[in-house]
Structure formats: structure tokens, C-alpha cells
Amino acid sequence: MKNTALTSTHEALGAKMVPFAGYNMPVQYEGVNAEHETVRNGIGVFDVSHMGEFLIEGENALELIQKVSSNDASKLTIGKAQYSCLPNDNGGIVDDLIIYKIKEETYLLVVNASNIDKDWNWIQSKNNVGATMRNLSEDYSLLAIQGPKAIEAMQSITNHDLLAITFYNFVVGDFAGIENVIISATGYTGSGGFEIYCKNSEVKQVWDNVFKAGADFGIKPIGLAARDTLRLEMGYCLYGNDIDDTTSPIEAGLGWITKFTKDFTNSENLKAQKACGVDRKLIAFQLDERGIPRQGYDIVDGNGNTIGNVTSGTMSPSLGIGIGLGYVPKVFAAADSKINIQIRKKAVPATVVKLPFYKG
């Protein structure tokens, strides 16, 4: 089991630690609902240093990235980030990721912790263009400072105008007394804030200064359990739950990051899917009655026939109702369609809704 550079800090704060993607990670501190509320209304900090970072460099860096990713990375300018995915050869997804253009011919790819080796090997297998690849995952830490008070609270520890860093943009500069930190207006919560990339040797200083700066704003550490409820309220896909090697980006509603202005892995098949439609789709639903939909529960029609299963589900802390995602035949996928979630022996009625669940 690997530790992040802050594992002892989390343990000292009384975090409940669990194994996650091969790392010893804080799942919660004071409780999921309280931590969820902190991020929605104030400011909270996640240690997500288990995520992977690859540097792709050289005159053919963009060519490699264009070949392996679904989005059009040629649109990136220095200081911009892009959400994308790595399609496999069979119509599924190797991983989803964020691509940062650091400078000309230098890109940072941020991948999911559970897929670091898999992604590295996949991209390397496609690198017949001589791009330079460096795996920085073991050397870098990542903090997600999330919530509506993040800008105001963190402004005192950087010279950069945080308000000027718009969504999916970033700067490289001073933060919390450290130089050459990536300050990125990205995150997984839907409540605003920043993601901070720094070296493992620097992250304790960053963490301490972040908490000093946020003290008057009610800043708190947040665990992975609240990260999951926050992302689900926004309808953000989680790799391994809602997308995987068997789900196409078109089925998953990720057509918006699948650009056919270029050729990429399996692009012809995905283009045909987009043109002809798919047999199943990832839907969002909310329960019409009391209950909590869990991953793996069956989705059934009015006659009790299984038509799919829940890929992610929870009791929404913000809305107070059961919400979830799952794949169903497209005939059931339109908004306002009626389905049922099999919770133990009861088929609980649910309604297909448009995302996000949480409107802010």
C-alpha cells in the first residue's frame, strides 16, 4: 500500500483511512454529509495525490496526444486544460483524463490513480512518433481546494489574480510560498475552486499555508467519500463505475469530448456510432420515493424486466433524494422516462432527468 506525502497529516487529523487504487487514502474526517456541505457552501481541501501525471514533450508530442485522445488537443493554447478520454481499439475507454498545455511542445496528462500503469503502457504502445514521455506520478502531489470561498480564501497566498483564472485555465507560479506551482481552475465538485500541483517535498508547506489562509473561512479537510457524492450530484463520470473498457464515449454521453476533426484510436467506429446512434445510453435518474440506489442494483421496467443496472448511486446530501447513473436501452433514455430501481425486494419508481442533479 502506497502513501501520499500527507498520509501522516491525515492520520493526525483523525481521518478514517482506506485502501484506494493502491494508496492509503482518507475516506472521511467528520462525516460525508458535513464534508459535502463544507464544499458546497464554503471551502474544503482534498488530497488527491494518488492521481497520475505524465509529461509528453517534443516536436511530436501533439501528434501522439491527438492519436490517443478523443478531444482535439490542437485547440489548446498555453495555460489551457482540456477534458478528454483515451479510446481503446474495441469501442471502449482506456481512461478519462485532463490534458494541460504547459508550453509549446510540452503537455501534462493527468490520469486516474487506478490506471497509471495501464495508461502509461497504452500511450507508450502508440508512441511510434518519437515523443518524449516522462512518468511524474511518484514525484508530484495534488491538492483540490474546492468551494465557493476558495478564491477569496486563497488570494492571500499567491501573487496571481485567482479571479482571472477561468474554468479549465491555469497558471504556473507562486502559491503558498512555493514557486512553479500549477494553479488550475479545475475540479470534480461543481462548486468552483482550484487544483494545485506541486512536488511531494513541497506539499506539506502548501497544505499548512492553505489551512492558515482558509482559517477565517471555515476551511476543512475533505475525504474521498464526499468527493464521490459531490461529483455524482454534477453527473461527472467515474472511471470504473460509469465508464470503462466496455463503454463507448458516445454511450456515456461524452460525445462533446469526441471530435471527429482528426483521426484517433477507433475514431471510425465511434464516428459511425455518433451518426447511427447507439443501443444503450448512460442516464441520470432520481427516485420518486424514499430509497438509496447503490452501484450494481438492477434497473427494471414496469413489468419487472431487468433493463440495466446502476453504475453510481447515492442519497444526495444537497437534494435529500436518491440519485444515480446507469445504462439503459435508448427507448428508456429520454428525460422524464419512468423506470424502476430494484432495491432489495421492492421496485422503487424513478424518473430519468437531465444533468446536473445539483443546480447550485
Side-chain angles (χ1 to χ4, degrees):
M1 191 68 58
K2 295 178 181 177
N3 290 321
T4 75
L6 291 170
T7 296
S8 60
T9 302
H10 304 310
E11 291 171 341
L13 289 167
K16 179 184 178 184
M17 306 296 287
V18 298
F20 184 83
Y23 282 81
N24 189 21
M25 298 297 290
V27 67
Q28 66 180 55
Y29 298 83
E30 60 175 322
V32 180
N33 286 358
E35 291 169 37
H36 183 109
E37 200 71 13
T38 293
V39 174
R40 281 282 178 253
N41 298 310
I43 178 173
V45 184
F46 304 82
D47 176 13
V48 281
S49 302
H50 59 318
M51 299 290 280
E53 294 88 16
F54 306 154
L55 206 62
I56 312 289
E57 298 177 287
E59 60 181 350
N60 296 321
L62 179 60
E63 183 180 350
L64 174 60
I65 290 166
Q66 289 288 70
K67 185 161 62 166
V68 299
S69 66
S70 62
N71 210 334
D72 187 355
S74 71
K75 302 292 187 190
L76 285 172
T77 54
I78 295 169
K80 289 194 177 294
Q82 181 184 77
Y83 180 59
S84 191
C85 75
L86 304 173
N88 65 23
D89 291 321
N90 310 310
I93 299 171
V94 177
D95 202 3
D96 61 337
L97 74 164
I98 298 179
I99 301 169
Y100 293 81
K101 185 167 185 177
I102 305 295
K103 52 189 177 186
E104 293 301 336
E105 301 183 353
T106 301
Y107 297 83
L108 182 71
L109 277 53
V110 180
V111 303
N112 284 301
S114 56
N115 291 334
I116 292 172
D117 292 341
K118 173 188 169 191
D119 292 357
W120 176 263
N121 292 335
W122 175 257
I123 297 169
Q124 204 167 44
S125 75
K126 301 292 184 182
N127 185 16
N128 59 2
V129 297
T132 301
M133 295 176 56
R134 291 164 57 199
N135 187 349
L136 307 179
S137 305
E138 297 284 337
D139 304 319
Y140 276 77
S141 293
L142 173 56
L143 300 181
I145 305 167
Q146 298 284 290
K149 295 181 181 176
I151 292 175
E152 188 182 0
M154 294 300 109
Q155 189 58 71
S156 66
I157 55 172
T158 179
N159 289 318
H160 290 278
D161 180 1
L162 296 180
L163 201 57
I165 309 173
T166 53
F167 196 46
Y168 268 76
N169 285 257
F170 68 95
V171 297
V172 180
D174 69 284
F175 187 83
I178 304 291
E179 294 296 329
N180 297 315
V181 171
I182 295 176
I183 309 168
S184 175
T186 45
Y188 203 43
T189 66
S191 283
F194 299 92
E195 293 185 304
I196 304 296
Y197 298 83
C198 64
K199 293 177 182 174
N200 290 343
S201 58
E202 300 166 338
V203 71
K204 182 61 165 64
Q205 179 179 326
V206 172
W207 175 276
D208 289 344
N209 285 339
V210 161
F211 274 84
K212 282 178 193 166
D216 292 340
F217 299 87
I219 195 169
K220 291 181 180 179
I222 311 294
L224 294 182
R227 181 172 160 87
D228 194 52
T229 56
L230 288 157
R231 71 90 193 169
L232 185 50
E233 286 187 346
M234 298 306 298
Y236 295 155
C237 288
L238 176 63
Y239 195 90
N241 286 43
D242 315 303
I243 51 176
D244 59 31
D245 286 297
T246 69
T247 60
S248 96
I250 308 302
E251 292 174 332
L254 297 177
W256 63 280
I257 62 164
T258 311
K259 303 292 172 59
F260 300 108
T261 51
K262 58 162 196 168
D263 290 328
F264 57 87
T265 306
N266 207 38
S267 57
E268 284 305 311
N269 287 336
L270 294 176
K271 192 174 185 178
Q273 278 189 14
K274 193 158 191 177
C276 303
V278 288
D279 294 332
R280 63 173 190 163
K281 287 188 173 181
L282 183 67
I283 56 145
F285 65 85
Q286 56 189 45
L287 298 187
D288 299 335
E289 297 177 6
R290 191 90 183 148
I292 304 176
R294 303 286 188 194
Q295 182 189 14
Y297 283 8
D298 285 341
I299 303 174
V300 298
D301 65 15
N303 297 316
N305 302 306
T306 299
I307 57 172
N309 59 58
V310 177
T311 56
S312 288
T314 194
M315 172 64 71
S316 164
S318 299
L319 307 176
I321 54 175
I323 60 171
L325 304 173
Y327 286 92
V328 297
K330 63 181 178 182
V331 66
F332 295 97
D336 300 323
S337 296
K338 296 296 181 179
I339 56 173
N340 299 279
I341 310 301
Q342 193 69 41
I343 302 178
R344 290 177 287 279
K345 293 184 178 179
K346 184 180 181 184
V348 178
T351 302
V352 176
V353 297
K354 291 182 178 178
L355 290 170
F357 296 105
Y358 174 76
K359 304 296 196 289

